[in-house]
Amino acid sequence: MGLRDRQKRQRKEAILGAALELFEQRGFANTTIEEVAERAGLSVPTLYRYVKSKGELLLALQRAH
């Protein structure tokens, strides 16, 4: 696996981890995409390269767990 693929996987894991933490702490409705991006250490446009919406992020978490 190349560097780019590793970075993509790490970013995806960071996004999912940040979303899970925030959804557990604040609830889905009270969490913003901006907060998820900040917690994951990414910009909002970068986060949107991985998920198209907060709902898609929730589905990704459900699939992962």
Side-chain angles (χ1 to χ4, degrees):
M1 180 181 296
L3 176 62
R4 180 171 281 173
D5 290 331
R6 283 195 307 270
Q7 288 175 331
K8 286 175 72 173
R9 188 187 63 204
Q10 289 171 342
R11 285 185 189 124
K12 184 75 171 187
E13 289 172 1
I15 291 166
L16 292 177
L20 182 61
E21 288 175 8
L22 288 166
F23 292 167
E24 286 177 345
Q25 291 171 1
R26 301 173 46 93
F28 177 78
N30 295 321
T31 300
T32 66
I33 285 287
E34 291 80 10
E35 291 168 330
V36 175
E38 183 178 335
R39 176 77 56 103
L42 303 170
S43 68
V44 173
T46 299
L47 186 139
Y48 277 121
R49 289 186 197 143
Y50 292 86
V51 294
K52 293 183 178 25
S53 68
K54 191 167 72 165
E56 185 178 303
L57 186 51
L58 181 60
L59 290 175
L61 282 171
Q62 289 174 336
R63 283 191 300 267
H65 291 93

